[in-house]
Amino acid sequence: MPRSAETASFKFNHTMIRVKDPKQSLAFYQDVLGMDLLSKLDFADFTLYFLAFNHTGKELSDEEKKQARFSREGVLELTHNHGTENDPNFQGYASGNAEPGKGFGHIAIAVDDVDKACERFESLGVKFKKRPTDGKMKNIAFILDPDGYWVEIVPYYMGS
Amino acid sequence: MPRSAETASFKFNHTMIRVKDPKQSLAFYQDVLGMDLLSKLDFADFTLYFLAFNHTGKELSDEEKKQARFSREGVLELTHNHGTENDPNFQGYASGNAEPGKGFGHIAIAVDDVDKACERFESLGVKFKKRPTDGKMKNIAFILDPDGYWVEIVPYYMGS
């Protein structure tokens, strides 16, 4: 039940992060994690990429992808400010997990089998912040995307 | 269609941000935005709050809420490091949209009527980064959560 009539239509549509090099980021979010590119919006100085997992069991038409972009939950928006990918003076983006600038934490991908997912990430050369065997929490992992943002890997259902 | 069998189970489960005062943040995400609290996990030094919009049309049992936490998309995780709410020396968290620390952008809520949603936010005393009437993009707004994180308000379907 929605908490109030006024918010009944609300959906948590997307999370936006800035990326240095879209080629690397798209390879990560599409090929490593398996998201689909819903749309790409070009502006003079920047380009936006909207990605999401396709849970429909079928290919989406371009129109369906465009509609999904702002009408569903679980969308990731990547903002590429043109030029950062070739700029030797570009300092890179803060992941949000170090001072100063600590604040943003991570995005999380739920999977049916964390160990299997992590073996595959390992074989694809993905960098780990925390392997399932590290630390106390044996059933979760943290991998790093090309900009160093933390991506948590969690099993579908973690007991209480 | 999933891009590969190995990622077919993957879901974009949640986005985590740190918050100074959970009382203020819960009031914002529950009462202003209308999310439900799925679960609260207490640890020695910190507490995690998992929130999401309930689109099922019914109240969820505690067990269903706990399961939803890691089994669905569109979940927001708030991390409260105990003590920040009363610490006069706490500097506050970076929203991600200023240097240094720029990187994280925002989360976005899709709604059926941006103007109506914003009138209500206004009446509730919510701070705006950008009202629908400001700037070039008349069909979107940005409000600020209690920590200053940007929350974009977008209509369900924005044409091409």
Side-chain angles (χ1 to χ4, degrees):
Chain A
M1 300 251 284
R3 287 178 59 89
S4 74
E6 295 136 311
T7 62
S9 76
F10 290 16
K11 295 180 186 178
F12 180 4
N13 174 242
H14 71 250
T15 298
M16 188 279 265
I17 53 175
R18 295 177 178 86
V19 302
K20 176 185 177 175
D21 184 342
K23 203 185 275 185
Q24 285 191 38
S25 298
L26 289 172
F28 180 81
Y29 288 103
Q30 289 186 295
D31 303 333
V32 176
L33 289 186
M35 287 182 175
D36 267 3
L37 184 64
L38 297 178
S39 78
K40 175 173 178 277
L41 280 179
D42 285 307
F43 294 86
D45 301 332
F46 63 97
T47 299
L48 307 179
Y49 299 87
F50 292 87
L51 297 129
F53 290 107
N54 179 354
H55 303 293
T56 65
K58 63 179 182 66
E59 295 293 345
L60 301 181
S61 68
D62 287 350
E63 182 58 25
E64 286 172 320
K65 284 186 187 171
K66 266 200 259 172
Q67 289 215 18
R69 186 183 57 193
F70 292 110
S71 309
R72 56 165 284 181
E73 301 201 311
V75 174
L76 181 68
E77 177 184 3
L78 305 179
T79 295
H80 172 228
N81 290 306
H82 298 164
T84 51
E85 71 281 20
N86 301 315
D87 181 355
N89 296 317
F90 180 70
Q91 301 288 317
Y93 288 117
S95 73
N97 291 300
E99 302 291 359
K102 200 170 180 172
F104 174 60
H106 59 261
I107 62 169
I109 309 299
V111 307
D112 60 354
D113 187 327
V114 171
D115 290 331
K116 222 167 86 179
C118 288
E119 280 168 28
R120 179 171 161 274
F121 296 146
E122 195 89 57
S123 75
L124 293 171
V126 171
K127 285 189 195 139
F128 281 76
K129 173 78 191 166
K130 175 204 174 307
R131 289 184 172 75
T133 47
D134 297 334
K136 278 185 288 185
M137 300 279 282
K138 302 297 183 199
N139 51 352
I140 63 163
F142 279 94
I143 59 176
L144 297 176
D145 93 344
D147 287 279
Y149 293 111
W150 296 13
V151 179
E152 187 177 13
I153 308 300
V154 293
Y156 276 172
Y157 179 52
M158 294 208 300
S160 68
Chain B
M1 300 250 286
R3 288 178 60 90
S4 73
E6 295 136 310
T7 62
S9 76
F10 290 16
K11 295 180 187 178
F12 180 3
N13 173 241
H14 71 250
T15 297
M16 187 280 263
I17 53 175
R18 296 177 177 87
V19 301
K20 176 185 176 174
D21 183 342
K23 204 185 276 185
Q24 285 193 38
S25 298
L26 289 173
F28 180 81
Y29 287 103
Q30 290 186 295
D31 303 333
V32 176
L33 290 185
M35 287 184 175
D36 268 3
L37 183 65
L38 297 177
S39 77
K40 176 174 179 276
L41 280 179
D42 285 307
F43 294 86
D45 301 332
F46 62 98
T47 299
L48 308 179
Y49 299 86
F50 292 87
L51 296 127
F53 290 106
N54 179 356
H55 304 294
T56 64
K58 61 178 183 69
E59 296 291 345
L60 301 180
S61 68
D62 287 350
E63 183 58 25
E64 285 172 321
K65 284 186 187 170
K66 264 199 261 173
Q67 289 215 18
R69 186 183 58 194
F70 292 110
S71 308
R72 57 164 283 182
E73 300 200 313
V75 174
L76 181 68
E77 176 184 3
L78 305 180
T79 295
H80 172 226
N81 291 305
H82 299 163
T84 51
E85 72 280 20
N86 300 316
D87 180 356
N89 296 317
F90 179 70
Q91 300 289 316
Y93 289 118
S95 74
N97 291 301
E99 304 289 359
K102 201 169 179 171
F104 174 59
H106 58 261
I107 62 169
I109 309 298
V111 307
D112 61 354
D113 187 328
V114 171
D115 289 331
K116 222 167 87 181
C118 288
E119 279 166 30
R120 180 171 160 274
F121 296 146
E122 196 88 57
S123 76
L124 293 172
V126 171
K127 287 191 193 136
F128 280 77
K129 173 79 191 166
K130 175 204 174 306
R131 290 183 171 74
T133 48
D134 296 335
K136 278 185 289 186
M137 301 279 281
K138 302 297 181 198
N139 52 352
I140 64 164
F142 280 95
I143 57 176
L144 297 176
D145 93 345
D147 287 279
Y149 293 111
W150 296 12
V151 178
E152 188 177 13
I153 308 299
V154 294
Y156 276 172
Y157 179 52
M158 295 209 298
S160 67

